[in-house]
Amino acid sequence: MRLHRLEVEGFGPFRSRQTVDFDAFVDDGIFLIAGRTGAGKSSILDAVCFGLYGGVPRYDGGEKRLRSDHCEPDDISEVMVEFSASAGRFRVTRSPEYLRPAKRGGGMTKQAAAASLHEWTDAGWVGRAARAVDVAHELEEILQLSREQFLQVILLAQNRFSEFLLAGSRDRQALLRRLFGTQRFEDVQSRFDERRRAAEHALGARLATVAARLDEAERLIVSADLGGDSVEAGDSVAADGAAADDGLADDGSARPLVVATTADRLDALRRAKARADYRAERRASERLDAEKRSRDADAVLTVSREEQRAQVERDRARAAIARLEAEEPSIGAARVELAEARAAERLRTVIAARGAAQTELADASAAERSAQADWHALDIGDVADLEAWAAERLRESGGWQRARELEEQEPTLAAETATAELAVQSAADRIAAGAATREALPAQITAVTAERDEGRRAADRLEDRETALAVAESRVAAAQLAERLRAQRTVADQRLTVATTEHAAAQTALARLRQRRFDGMAGELATGLRESEPCPVCGANEHPDPASHSDPVSVDDIAEAESARDEAAASEREAVSSLAALAAELAVAESRSEGLDVAEATVAQAAALDAHAQSVTAAARQEELETRLQRLMERAEELERDRDRDAAALASARERLAVLTDKAAEAQALVAAARGSFATVAERLADLETKVDTARRFADARAERVRRAARAVESESALAAALSESSFADVDAVDRALRSPAAQEALDARIVHHAVHWEKERAILFDLELRTLPEEPIELAPAEEAAEAARAAWLQAVDDAGRAAGIAERLESLIDSAASEHAKTADAAEEFEVLQGLADTIAGRGANTRKMTLETFVLAAELEEIVGAANRRLHDMSTGRYQLQHSDALAARGAASGLGIVVSDAFTGQTRPPQSLSGGETFLASLALALGLAEVVTARAGGIRLDTLFIDEGFGSLDGDTLDVAMRTLDELRQGGRSVGVISHVEAMQEQIPAQLTVRATAEGPSIIETR
């Protein structure tokens, strides 16, 4: 990586834009950044770090004072860094957050931080990112160095130079972790601890399971009385011939098994299991015997019950036959009654036919007398042939039917005549109205045509007015959005103020903690002093006045404050990003609203909407006006057709009126002739119909009475013949013998029932009498008692067998489960021991006497390489006196070790802590160690080439000879085209380094950068 150009404006002590061309120092290789104290030399490195990473290391934990205090409110603050890396040449521009005058309303507002990244291509500078978060992501890929790594390998900032050399083991570990990213090894340690705890828990659970199974099995043996001396006779030897002794008490008392090991307890349980199996077999055999005895007793009881039921049935059959024999006389009488009823039933039809014929004859005679009375009431006289008289009357009335129809049609004919008169008048009226309408149509057509042409011209402007309306609506929406965004920007601005305040407070708190820790460093070192042990600072073995440690601040306190500071910084960055996004959206919205507020945009929208509505209305009425005009034209044609049609209708109506008038006159003459002396033709026809109907009814009744009399004679003859052929003397005897169908069915059912029961009971009694059953009642109590006792014994045997089998099965399950779990505990224990050993070794416990964790071990390897790289320079710089050594000595009070650094002094042959070096010696050792660290970090970062290096540290503490050694070392660094920038105000260095950047404070206050 090489820096090419730096531009700063409104940053630190620089108000006006200052430019640094680093390419101008490539030929010299080493250049000096000189100036008076406070002029702003270190601010150049601050600008480089801010441009690349958005932060300044010396402001970490405190207030960010990046904007120049010399700036006017309208001045900008900006840093531009141009650099090249393996991915190409880039330019990053950043602006810090600062207050500026508000554009509206007066007062001050926050200008959000901004960042942009450009890349040089054949086409010139091309934008790569325009947001701070995107710029950070892009630079992370391009630089391939974190900020911590950058500060250690490229920009060796003030107050950080000797930090790595003099740091304690814990602080050195934190720094190396950030540089080499070894957090994953701590994660490995955590995962192994979790696996160790899980394996320990699993092993404990498995051992507890084995113990629980064994305890339960032993309790089961005691409760089941399976001890060696407590089994019943014959059970002293197990089924497999093994001895029955299982370690229980000799007196058979119930107590749990007590054995030395799990294997012994399992062996004792297996012997008890053999006795349980033998007992289960005995109980199963006893169950089978009891089951057989119960079946035999049940069979005897079943036979006794069957014989008792047969005895009862035999006695019942005997009683039933005796009862049926007693009913035999009444059954015989029922048979005779049923035979006579069936014989009489054959004469029922003949007798009924005679009765019906006599009834019909009486009815016919009555009808004849009634019809004769009606005929005589007409006072017509004697008529020999009534049918001929009626036919003659009907012939006379044939012409009257037509007259009656015309008489009934008189109202209809009159109505038709009136309708025809109205049709004549209506046709004449329509002809007159059509003539008036035809005269008014030309004026209407002219007016509609003019209105259509005017609307067509308005509708032609609809598209332009739609465009104007869309623009007006867009301005209203943009104005409303701008109004909302202004409110949101105010809220975001307030949030940013709060976040900035909180960040500043967190930085202040962190700075105070660090200062307190620095102030109490002597007391902290004094707490580690031991009598007769050398002081790590001065090396003395006596400690007459150790400092007190009254206000301790731990590393954890610092880390907690740093975490709080980082969270506050993240909140501030988020608020800045949110405010910048709202500002960008507001600018877009104001541009789209064309500077109008909501009220002005709404008025313009209403005007555009009104004009658009007029064009829409005109366009919509075009079709309506065209339709009206077409209808008027069609109406004119229709009126012409109506005039012709109405003229034809008038002629037709007049012709029909004449026809109807003639038809009415003819009908009146015919009806008058047909009425005679009656009021109407219908009355005359009704009188004739009454007389003819009466004559015909009288003739029909007379003929019917003659037919019915003949049928009555025939039925009397048929009845006499049937009685002569039957066994009955007369009709009365038949009536006495007749029974209803229901009565006949009842008699037949009674007879059949008696016969069926007789045969059934005889068959039952016959079979039972063959069995020679005793006459005395059979007793069931003895057989029932025997069967009940046998069943109770069988149920008890079943219960005992099931209990014994259950105990054997449960015991076998517990033994198998315990044995299986016991077998698995060996593997689990072996796995736990391996995991415990690994976890303890990785975490620095157990046999790890150095208390060195895995991460510390990895970092120790990196530290050894760093020390080796540093010694290659320190040997020359110290003329062979000093060498740095990595120390893994065990720290005091059992603290973690492995990352110590000691100094080997060739003059004394002893090692001592780096704190014992003088100021100049500390500078040389720190410089060598920093360069070695940069070399290793660069190699770990993928072999990045470092073409630019800055050193900002106190060369003023060196004497002339040591300064010459340091200059030779710096001169070696520029080999291969590397540029080395040194910040110092030492005059000797100004004389030795011709290429210089001078930072000079002007009389007005701001600083400027001059190149020579």
Side-chain angles (χ1 to χ4, degrees):
M1 174 186 174
R2 177 183 293 277
L3 295 178
H4 298 286
R5 187 179 183 85
L6 172 67
E7 294 182 5
V8 294
E9 181 177 0
F11 182 89
F14 310 109
R15 176 185 174 184
S16 61
R17 182 168 289 269
Q18 303 295 312
T19 301
V20 178
D21 186 4
F22 294 110
D23 289 339
F25 303 115
V26 172
D27 295 336
D28 295 288
I30 184 170
F31 61 94
L32 178 68
I33 302 176
R36 298 177 64 86
T37 300
K41 301 184 295 298
S42 297
S43 295
I44 295 178
L45 304 188
D46 292 343
V48 172
C49 189
F50 174 74
L52 295 178
Y53 293 97
V56 177
R58 60 172 168 166
Y59 289 149
D60 287 348
E63 182 181 2
K64 292 183 178 180
R65 296 294 298 273
L66 302 179
R67 179 172 169 83
S68 176
D69 293 336
H70 304 291
C71 287
E72 294 295 332
D74 291 330
D75 291 344
I76 65 171
S77 292
E78 184 178 81
V79 173
M80 187 279 291
V81 179
E82 184 178 335
F83 66 94
S84 60
S86 59
R89 186 160 180 162
F90 302 90
R91 183 178 67 194
V92 58
T93 305
R94 288 187 190 269
S95 297
E97 177 188 280
Y98 61 90
L99 294 176
R100 60 167 178 79
K103 294 181 180 179
R104 295 186 179 181
M108 303 296 288
T109 185
K110 283 187 178 181
Q111 175 65 43
S116 64
L117 178 65
H118 292 75
E119 181 180 5
W120 178 258
T121 63
D122 294 338
W125 291 106
V126 177
R128 285 279 296 269
R131 296 192 311 159
V133 62
D134 296 332
V135 170
H137 290 160
E138 291 288 342
L139 288 176
E140 183 179 357
E141 294 293 330
I142 295 170
L143 298 174
Q144 299 183 24
L145 290 173
S146 65
R147 195 182 78 165
E148 291 293 338
Q149 292 174 329
F150 180 82
L151 294 175
Q152 289 293 335
V153 303
I154 293 180
L155 198 160
L156 305 182
Q158 192 172 0
N159 299 326
R160 287 174 175 259
F161 201 74
S162 59
E163 179 181 290
F164 186 62
L165 175 65
L166 302 178
S169 182
R170 183 184 299 273
D171 295 336
R172 188 175 290 116
Q173 179 178 1
L175 177 60
L176 291 174
R177 176 186 297 165
R178 291 195 299 270
L179 292 177
F180 294 103
T182 57
Q183 181 67 34
R184 62 187 184 279
F185 296 104
E186 186 175 3
D187 296 339
V188 170
Q189 175 183 335
S190 300
R191 287 197 294 273
F192 267 97
D193 282 337
E194 292 175 1
R195 290 183 60 188
R196 177 190 59 79
R197 288 192 292 271
E200 183 178 7
H201 177 73
L203 178 59
R206 200 174 296 281
L207 290 173
T209 301
V210 173
R213 297 291 187 272
L214 293 175
D215 291 343
E216 184 179 355
E218 290 168 352
R219 288 194 298 271
L220 181 62
I221 290 173
V222 173
S223 64
D225 196 17
L226 289 173
D229 295 334
S230 59
V231 297
E232 58 262 52
D235 289 353
S236 59
V237 178
D240 59 356
D245 184 17
D246 58 359
L248 296 176
D250 293 338
D251 57 359
S253 59
R255 64 180 179 87
L257 291 174
V258 179
V259 291
T261 64
T262 300
D264 294 338
R265 295 174 72 183
L266 286 172
D267 291 340
L269 289 175
R270 291 189 180 98
R271 292 194 296 272
K273 169 62 171 55
R275 289 193 296 277
D277 291 340
Y278 179 69
R279 177 182 289 180
E281 293 176 1
R282 285 283 305 277
R283 296 296 181 266
S285 177
E286 291 172 357
R287 177 182 59 79
L288 295 176
D289 294 341
E291 184 179 1
K292 182 177 182 305
R293 289 193 295 272
S294 178
R295 285 199 303 270
D296 294 341
D298 288 342
V300 172
L301 178 59
T302 301
V303 171
S304 298
R305 285 175 176 170
E306 178 62 25
E307 289 184 351
Q308 185 188 52
R309 284 195 296 271
Q311 189 181 56
V312 172
E313 183 67 12
R314 181 197 63 185
D315 295 341
R316 186 201 60 77
R318 288 176 177 175
I321 288 177
R323 187 174 61 256
L324 291 173
E325 289 176 349
E327 293 175 355
E328 183 60 31
S330 62
I331 294 301
R335 292 193 187 96
V336 173
E337 181 181 358
L338 180 59
E340 290 180 352
R342 288 176 175 171
E345 187 67 28
R346 289 191 288 272
L347 298 176
R348 184 190 293 274
T349 304
V350 179
I351 294 173
R354 187 196 68 168
Q358 290 177 350
T359 301
E360 291 173 355
L361 177 59
D363 293 340
S365 298
E368 181 184 11
R369 289 192 296 271
S370 175
Q372 185 178 12
D374 293 340
W375 171 254
H376 289 161
L378 294 176
D379 195 19
I380 295 177
D382 294 333
V383 177
D385 190 351
L386 293 174
E387 290 291 341
W389 182 85
E392 182 62 27
R393 301 287 82 75
L394 290 176
R395 283 194 298 271
E396 290 178 358
S397 65
W400 301 345
Q401 294 292 339
R402 174 61 180 164
R404 185 176 67 177
E405 294 175 358
L406 292 175
E407 185 181 47
E408 293 174 350
Q409 293 176 358
E410 280 183 354
T412 304
L413 185 60
E416 291 179 354
T417 302
T419 301
E421 293 174 350
L422 288 175
V424 172
Q425 183 62 38
S426 177
D429 293 342
R430 286 198 303 275
I431 291 174
T437 303
R438 284 194 302 275
E439 293 176 359
L441 273 178
Q444 295 178 9
I445 292 173
T446 302
V448 172
T449 302
E451 184 178 0
R452 180 200 63 183
D453 295 341
E454 179 64 25
R456 182 177 296 171
R457 286 190 293 274
D460 291 340
R461 296 192 295 273
L462 176 59
E463 184 175 354
D464 296 337
R465 290 177 177 177
E466 284 179 347
T467 303
L469 177 59
V471 171
E473 290 175 346
S474 175
R475 283 199 300 266
V476 170
Q480 293 172 345
L481 177 60
E483 186 173 338
R484 291 195 301 272
L485 290 175
R486 291 188 192 100
Q488 294 176 9
R489 185 184 63 180
T490 302
V491 175
D493 199 2
Q494 295 171 354
R495 287 174 50 200
L496 178 58
T497 301
V498 172
T500 302
T501 302
E502 292 177 351
H503 186 197
Q507 287 179 326
T508 302
L510 178 60
R512 289 174 179 173
L513 283 176
R514 284 176 172 169
Q515 185 62 41
R516 284 169 55 195
R517 178 170 174 77
F518 179 77
D519 294 342
M521 188 62 69
E524 183 174 345
L525 291 173
T527 58
L529 293 177
R530 295 293 182 270
E531 190 66 29
S532 301
E533 292 183 2
C535 173
V537 177
C538 64
N541 293 326
E542 297 180 357
H543 320 294
D545 187 18
S548 62
H549 198 190
S550 60
D551 189 14
V553 176
S554 66
V555 175
D556 292 338
D557 295 336
I558 298 296
E560 184 177 352
E562 288 178 346
S563 177
R565 187 272 317 276
D566 293 342
E567 291 179 359
S571 300
E572 184 182 21
R573 288 194 297 273
E574 182 181 355
V576 168
S577 177
S578 176
L579 183 61
L582 287 174
E585 293 181 11
L586 178 59
V588 174
E590 289 177 344
S591 174
R592 291 179 179 174
S593 65
E594 298 180 2
L596 299 179
D597 57 18
V598 176
E600 294 170 345
T602 303
V603 172
Q605 180 192 21
L609 184 63
D610 183 57
H612 178 265
Q614 293 177 2
S615 294
V616 170
T617 303
R621 282 186 54 79
Q622 281 299 297
E623 184 176 355
E624 177 185 354
L625 292 174
E626 290 287 351
T627 302
R628 285 180 57 190
L629 183 60
Q630 181 64 28
R631 288 177 179 174
L632 289 174
M633 301 297 291
E634 292 175 353
R635 181 60 177 162
E637 297 176 358
E638 183 181 0
L639 287 175
E640 292 295 330
R641 291 193 299 270
D642 290 346
R643 182 179 62 181
D644 297 340
R645 185 175 63 253
D646 291 340
L650 180 61
S652 175
R654 288 173 176 171
E655 181 180 357
R656 178 170 175 72
L657 179 61
V659 172
L660 290 175
T661 301
D662 295 342
K663 184 177 180 180
E666 180 182 355
Q668 288 175 358
L670 182 60
V671 168
R675 286 175 180 169
S677 59
F678 291 89
T680 64
V681 177
E683 290 181 2
R684 188 173 185 181
L685 284 173
D687 179 71
L688 180 61
E689 288 175 357
T690 301
K691 292 177 180 179
V692 170
D693 182 61
T694 302
R696 285 180 172 175
R697 282 194 298 106
F698 183 28
D700 291 341
R702 181 186 298 170
E704 183 65 22
R705 193 249 323 149
V706 173
R707 288 194 300 272
R708 297 293 173 84
R711 288 185 58 187
V713 173
E714 292 176 356
S715 63
E716 284 291 344
S717 300
L719 178 59
L723 286 173
S724 63
E725 294 176 357
S726 67
S727 60
F728 298 101
D730 52 23
V731 175
D732 293 337
V734 174
D735 290 337
R736 287 193 298 273
L738 282 173
R739 297 290 184 272
S740 66
Q744 293 182 36
E745 290 179 0
L747 288 172
D748 186 60
R750 181 183 174 192
I751 294 168
V752 172
H753 180 269
H754 182 272
V756 169
H757 276 68
W758 174 269
E759 294 298 330
K760 176 183 175 183
E761 296 298 338
R762 283 189 60 192
I764 291 173
L765 183 59
F766 179 77
D767 292 337
L768 292 176
E769 290 291 357
L770 292 178
R771 295 178 62 175
T772 63
L773 298 172
E775 296 297 330
E776 297 80 7
I778 298 174
E779 294 292 337
L780 295 178
E784 289 177 347
E785 293 174 357
E788 184 64 27
R791 183 170 183 80
W794 172 66
L795 291 176
Q796 181 62 40
V798 169
D799 185 58
D800 293 343
R803 188 181 303 107
I807 290 173
E809 292 176 359
R810 179 56 180 164
L811 189 57
E812 181 179 11
S813 175
L814 291 172
I815 293 172
D816 291 343
S817 176
S820 175
E821 291 295 327
H822 179 60
K824 294 176 182 178
T825 54
D827 297 335
E830 182 179 356
E831 180 182 1
F832 170 68
E833 289 176 0
V834 172
L835 286 174
Q836 184 179 29
L838 284 173
D840 290 345
T841 301
I842 292 173
R845 299 187 297 266
N848 190 339
T849 58
R850 294 293 180 180
K851 306 290 185 183
M852 190 183 298
T853 65
L854 177 62
E855 182 186 17
T856 306
F857 179 78
V858 174
L859 292 177
E862 299 288 356
L863 183 58
E864 287 180 352
E865 189 172 350
I866 293 170
V867 168
N871 284 333
R872 286 193 291 271
R873 290 186 174 87
L874 183 59
H875 183 272
D876 295 335
M877 295 166 67
S878 64
T879 63
R881 179 178 179 181
Y882 293 117
Q883 287 283 298
L884 298 177
Q885 291 183 3
H886 163 238
S887 173
D888 59 358
L890 188 63
R893 295 187 296 276
S897 60
L899 294 179
I901 294 179
V902 296
V903 179
S904 176
D905 190 343
F907 288 1
T908 64
Q910 301 293 323
T911 60
R912 52 194 176 108
Q915 289 83 356
S916 64
L917 297 175
S918 65
E921 292 171 340
T922 299
F923 173 80
L924 293 179
S926 299
L927 177 59
L929 189 60
L931 295 176
L933 177 60
E935 181 179 331
V936 175
V937 170
T938 302
R940 294 295 182 271
I944 299 174
R945 178 176 174 81
L946 304 179
D947 295 317
T948 304
L949 178 66
F950 293 94
I951 299 177
D952 181 8
E953 189 55 40
F955 289 90
S957 62
L958 305 181
D959 56 29
D961 294 336
T962 306
L963 181 59
D964 291 338
V965 172
M967 288 300 298
R968 286 197 303 271
T969 303
L970 296 178
D971 191 60
E972 293 175 358
L973 293 177
R974 64 180 181 174
Q975 295 177 2
R978 177 183 296 170
S979 297
V980 180
V982 180
I983 297 178
S984 179
H985 57 272
V986 177
E987 294 182 359
M989 297 190 70
Q990 296 179 15
E991 296 174 356
Q992 297 182 39
I993 303 175
Q996 297 181 11
L997 285 175
T998 303
V999 181
R1000 180 174 59 85
T1002 64
E1004 293 79 11
S1007 296
I1008 59 175
I1009 302 174
E1010 298 174 341
T1011 303
R1012 66 167 192 172

